């Protein structure tokens, strides 16, 4: 770490940071430093798709956050995984490729006053890094770094659920990524030949590693940003202080610092650096450098409500994996073919539909799995079952991320405030009814589905909403804590060009900038944001 002056310093080698490092270091005249608090992605379970089971809750790969006790969840706390390794959350997530709906981006354009965030404008950014298994067309790109493939297994019970969904009025879909994702079908995944495809493989190896102007520091945690007076009396971010495990190193950025540490990490770094709500900073003895009340506000997440159904006459993973012989056969299939349960994304079948037929767009997403368990990390049940998890795509509840102390080593307080609005509680109740309606269709009859959880005794809105609080859990999509907005929006943290308000030389490029959560899994929109940020940064030179 002898030379500590760079043109660009990128904080966080996760989904966004890896792409940004690739794009910015493509100019050999610019020196780029990528800083990652976690270790290299050389842990074998990162790359085997089912390995997320061993990465989440593992300090080798996960920040091990927990939420605050949540009134909407009847006082429960949730495990809140965030990737702490090269590739970030793309190294431990569900691998599902999902852009959201065109209406999401129309809403971003309206909120920010910037038409370049519309679906028609961001679609080329998605396509730019895409390597779609069917090849290029008007909606997809081919030859890019980000591989998208079909899953390498099917399940009879999931095929039956898909048929039941069609019988319930949900159309079949072969592609959820064309602007309106209504339908039912198997998810497409970020895998390559049965291996997880994370952003470190896609954007760092081998490209960046061969560039003399690129440097990567791992096991290096940012303590704070350095903000100084600019020549005209304004404020400029000139660098960062980084703890490398032995000493604090000061790094200078001559052009820009880009925060890509995620909705939790980027928020924490800003607040530790004196950029955030004044009262919170004073509470922890931090002198405000620049007051921005929106830093850490506007937290949004998708809350999934898991219904479990016992079934008869069909195999599920519960019984396939409950013996040494079964586990051996699963391992052998993966070793020989890179297929079978070890190639599984956490959820295989997806569906998008409406909690209320009068809605113009789908507002529910299903993740359907041929397995069941009491909670993530617990053993599979000893009976055949499937799980139909449903989430409200557009929650109105808003939470916060706030530092607990001035120490960078201390995890922040994460308070999602799930189910804190009447609208969200109503959608939760209605979504459980939609699940029941799908499972009651003729296509499922042969498997004699029995609602084991939550249980048919719960019927009223009040019962179902309270029940959702008891059984619902995060689907790991925190966004919005450094959101973009118009110049007259006091809660906007960044402008539509992702520049932090009032601080030159500093941008945020991660899921935190989303003003509203996308209608689906959030990893791919985060890559698009990074692609947009790279364009903006290059054009600013």
């Amino acid at each position: 770490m002898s030379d500590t002056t760079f043109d660009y310093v990128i904080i966080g080698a996760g989904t966004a940071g890896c792409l940004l490092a690739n794009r910015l270091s493509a100019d050999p005249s610019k020196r780029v430093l990528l800083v990652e608090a976690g270790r290299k992605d050389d842990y074998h379970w990162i790359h085997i798709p089912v390995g997320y089971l061993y990465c989440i809750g593992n300090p080798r790969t996960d920040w091990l956050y927990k939420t605050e006790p949540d009134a909407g969840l009847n006082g429960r706390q949730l495990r809140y995984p965030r990737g702490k390794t090269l590739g970030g959350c793309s190294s431990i997530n569900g691998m599902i490729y999902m852009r959201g709906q065109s209406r999401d981006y129309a809403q971003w354009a309206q909120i920010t006053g910037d038409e370049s965030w519309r679906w028609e404008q961001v679609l080329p950014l998605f396509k730019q890094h895409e390597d779609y298994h069917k090849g290029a067309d008007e909606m997809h790109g081919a030859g890019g770094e980000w591989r998208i493939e079909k899953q390498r297994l099917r399940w009879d019970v999931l095929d039956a659920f898909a048929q039941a969904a069609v019988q319930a009025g949900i159309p079949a879909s072969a592609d959820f990524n064309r602007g309106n994702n209504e339908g039912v079908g198997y998810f497409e995944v970020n895998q390559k030949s049965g291996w997880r495809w994370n952003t470190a493989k896609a954007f760092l190896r081998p490209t960046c590693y061969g560039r003399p102007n690129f440097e990567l520091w791992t096991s290096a945690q940012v303590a704070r940003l350095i903000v100084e007076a600019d020549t005209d009396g304004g404020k400029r971010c000139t660098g960062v202080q980084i703890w490398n495990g032995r000493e604090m190193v000061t790094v200078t950025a001559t052009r820009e610092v880009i925060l890509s540490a995620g909705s939790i990490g980027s928020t924490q770094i800003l607040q530790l650096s004196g950029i955030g709500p004044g009262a919170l900073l004073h509470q922890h003895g931090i002198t405000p450098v620049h007051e921005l009340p929106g830093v850490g506000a506007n937290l949004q997440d998708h809350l999934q409500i898991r219904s479990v159904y016992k079934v008869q006459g069909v195999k599920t993973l519960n019984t396939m994996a409950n013996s040494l012989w079964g586990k051996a056969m699963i391992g052998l299939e993966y070793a020989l073919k890179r297929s079978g349960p070890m190639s599984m994304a956490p959820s295989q079948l997806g569906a998008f539909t409406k909690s209320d037929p009068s809605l113009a767009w789908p507002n529910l997403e299903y993740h359907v799995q041929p397995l069941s368990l009491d909670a993530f990390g617990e053993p599979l049940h000893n009976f055949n079952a499937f799980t139909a998890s449903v989430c409200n795509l557009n929650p109105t509840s808003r939470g916060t991320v706030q530092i607990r102390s001035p120490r960078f080593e201390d995890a922040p307080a994460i308070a999602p405030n799930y189910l804190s609005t009447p609208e969200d509680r109503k959608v939760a109740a209605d979504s459980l009814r939609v699940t029941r309606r799908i499972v009651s269709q003729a296509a499922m009859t042969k498997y004699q589905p029995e609602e084991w959880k939550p249980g048919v005794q719960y019927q009223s809105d009040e019962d179902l909403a309270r029940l959702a609080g008891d059984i619902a859990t995060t689907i790991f999509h925190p966004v919005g804590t450094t959101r973009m907005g118009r110049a007259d929006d006091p809660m906007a943290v960044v402008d539509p060009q992702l520049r932090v308000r009032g601080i030159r030389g500093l941008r945020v490029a991660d899921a935190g900038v989303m003003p509203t959560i996308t209608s689906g899994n959030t990893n791919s929109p985060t890559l698009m944001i990074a692609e947009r940020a790279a364009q903006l940064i290059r054009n600013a030179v």
Side-chain angles (χ1 to χ4, degrees):
M1 295 188 182
S2 54
D3 191 345
T4 58
T5 299
F6 297 84
D7 293 282
Y8 300 111
V9 176
I10 303 166
I11 299 171
T15 297
C18 288
L19 184 147
L20 275 166
N22 180 291
R23 300 296 187 250
L24 297 181
S25 65
D27 180 349
S29 71
K30 303 295 188 296
R31 296 195 69 233
V32 176
L33 172 65
L34 179 60
V35 181
E36 170 55 41
R39 293 158 58 183
K40 291 187 177 178
D41 60 331
D42 52 5
Y43 180 50
H44 66 285
W45 281 119
I46 290 173
H47 306 289
I48 298 170
V50 81
Y52 68 91
L53 291 168
Y54 306 100
C55 292
I56 291 175
N58 181 343
R60 170 70 177 78
T61 47
D62 183 359
W63 282 95
L64 305 179
Y65 295 134
K66 282 189 173 181
T67 65
E68 299 295 286
D70 198 309
L73 303 183
N74 303 325
R76 290 187 299 131
Q77 291 180 277
L78 299 180
R79 183 186 288 178
Y80 217 64
R82 297 284 87 198
K84 188 181 183 182
T85 182
L86 279 188
C89 290
S90 77
S91 293
I92 69 171
N93 72 358
M95 296 165 280
I96 292 170
Y97 182 72
M98 189 65 59
R99 295 171 177 168
Q101 298 173 358
S102 61
R103 65 174 176 124
D104 301 330
Y105 303 100
Q107 189 175 24
W108 290 12
Q110 190 274 325
I111 291 170
T112 61
D114 187 337
E115 293 296 300
S116 64
W117 288 107
R118 286 195 175 276
W119 170 259
E120 296 78 12
Q121 304 302 315
V122 301
L123 181 59
L125 299 174
F126 282 110
K127 293 168 67 175
Q128 185 172 329
H129 51 254
E130 193 176 9
D131 187 21
Y132 190 58
H133 65 95
K134 291 182 180 178
D137 62 18
E138 71 278 7
M139 288 290 172
H140 290 286
E145 300 93 343
W146 196 231
R147 181 65 179 167
I148 301 150
E149 294 188 349
K150 293 177 68 174
Q151 294 184 67
R152 301 167 73 89
L153 77 170
R154 302 188 74 85
W155 296 84
D156 289 344
V157 72
L158 298 189
D159 290 343
F161 187 96
Q163 293 165 15
V166 171
Q167 291 169 352
I170 303 170
S173 176
D175 185 356
F176 289 129
N177 290 293
R178 305 183 78 84
N180 182 344
N181 49 24
E182 185 167 17
V184 59
Y186 279 84
F187 289 121
E188 292 171 318
V189 290
N190 296 120
Q191 294 183 6
K192 195 165 190 176
S193 303
W195 298 99
R196 175 190 289 274
W197 194 243
N198 71 352
T199 55
K201 289 179 187 173
F203 298 102
L204 298 185
R205 290 197 292 272
T207 323
C208 288
Y209 291 163
R211 294 172 175 168
N213 61 319
F214 171 76
E215 203 162 316
L216 169 67
W217 295 0
T218 55
S219 301
Q221 187 167 352
V222 169
R224 71 178 186 95
L225 307 171
I226 300 168
V227 178
E228 299 178 346
D230 210 347
T231 51
D232 62 358
K235 299 166 186 171
R236 171 172 286 275
C237 182
T238 59
V240 296
Q241 287 188 339
I242 299 170
W243 175 251
N244 64 13
R246 301 178 304 278
E247 60 181 341
M248 196 69 75
V249 179
T250 299
V251 174
T252 299
T254 59
R255 292 186 180 271
E256 290 195 25
V257 172
I258 304 106
L259 276 171
S260 296
S263 293
I264 311 302
S266 291
T267 299
Q268 181 183 21
I269 291 167
L270 285 169
Q271 292 174 356
L272 289 172
S273 306
I275 304 168
L280 174 71
L281 303 180
H282 284 299
Q283 178 187 338
H284 296 295
I286 297 172
T287 301
V289 170
H290 186 64
E291 286 206 32
L292 281 177
V295 175
N298 194 48
L299 174 63
Q300 299 159 60
D301 190 15
H302 288 141
L303 185 73
Q304 61 175 341
I305 308 171
R306 301 167 61 250
S307 295
V308 174
Y309 287 84
K310 289 184 176 181
V311 287
Q312 307 294 327
V314 65
K315 279 190 175 181
T316 67
L317 191 61
N318 287 10
T319 51
M320 286 179 66
N322 71 354
S323 68
L324 289 176
W325 173 254
K327 290 174 181 174
M329 294 306 293
I330 288 170
L332 184 63
E333 179 178 1
Y334 186 76
L336 295 177
K337 301 179 181 179
R338 295 288 177 265
S339 62
M342 286 186 69
S343 73
M344 280 171 54
S347 300
Q348 297 80 57
L349 187 76
F352 292 84
T353 189
K354 303 168 184 175
S355 64
D356 181 334
S358 69
L359 295 173
W361 292 79
N363 68 326
L364 300 179
E365 179 181 9
Y366 279 90
H367 293 77
V368 194
Q369 307 153 322
L371 55 87
S372 65
L373 36 72
D374 287 333
F376 190 88
E378 298 293 313
L380 295 172
H381 293 139
N382 61 3
F383 50 79
N384 278 312
F386 71 90
T387 300
S389 296
V390 61
C391 73
N392 177 0
L393 288 171
N394 310 116
T396 55
S397 299
R398 297 291 184 268
T400 59
V401 174
Q402 298 181 331
I403 53 171
R404 298 177 192 270
S405 84
R407 291 164 38 91
F408 69 87
E409 304 97 322
D410 294 342
I414 303 168
N417 295 334
Y418 296 118
L419 300 174
S420 58
T421 66
E423 296 90 345
D424 287 358
R425 291 193 291 274
K426 173 63 174 168
V427 172
D430 287 345
S431 68
L432 284 166
R433 294 191 181 100
V434 174
T435 305
R436 289 170 173 171
R437 181 162 57 83
I438 295 170
V439 176
S440 70
Q441 301 298 317
M444 293 297 301
T445 304
K446 59 186 172 182
Y447 299 135
Q448 303 172 52
E450 174 192 346
E451 185 177 320
W452 187 75
K453 190 177 184 179
V456 293
Q457 67 271 30
Y458 301 102
Q459 292 291 334
S460 71
D461 277 10
E462 184 181 348
D463 281 348
L464 292 173
R466 185 176 64 252
L467 183 80
D470 286 336
I471 66 174
T473 187
T474 175
I475 206 163
F476 319 131
H477 297 163
V479 309
T481 51
T482 54
R483 71 173 179 86
M484 55 181 166
R486 298 170 185 258
D488 60 356
D489 180 352
M491 295 300 287
V493 176
V494 300
D495 67 11
Q497 288 75 49
L498 310 180
R499 298 172 297 200
V500 174
R501 301 280 192 196
I503 308 283
R504 293 175 188 150
L506 179 62
R507 289 186 212 243
V508 182
D510 56 36
V513 306
M514 297 184 190
T516 53
I517 195 167
T518 52
S519 300
N521 309 68
T522 52
N523 186 254
S524 303
T526 302
L527 271 181
M528 180 276 291
I529 289 166
E531 197 79 81
R532 172 79 174 130
Q535 281 187 354
L536 292 166
I537 293 165
R538 289 194 302 261
N539 291 341
V541 174

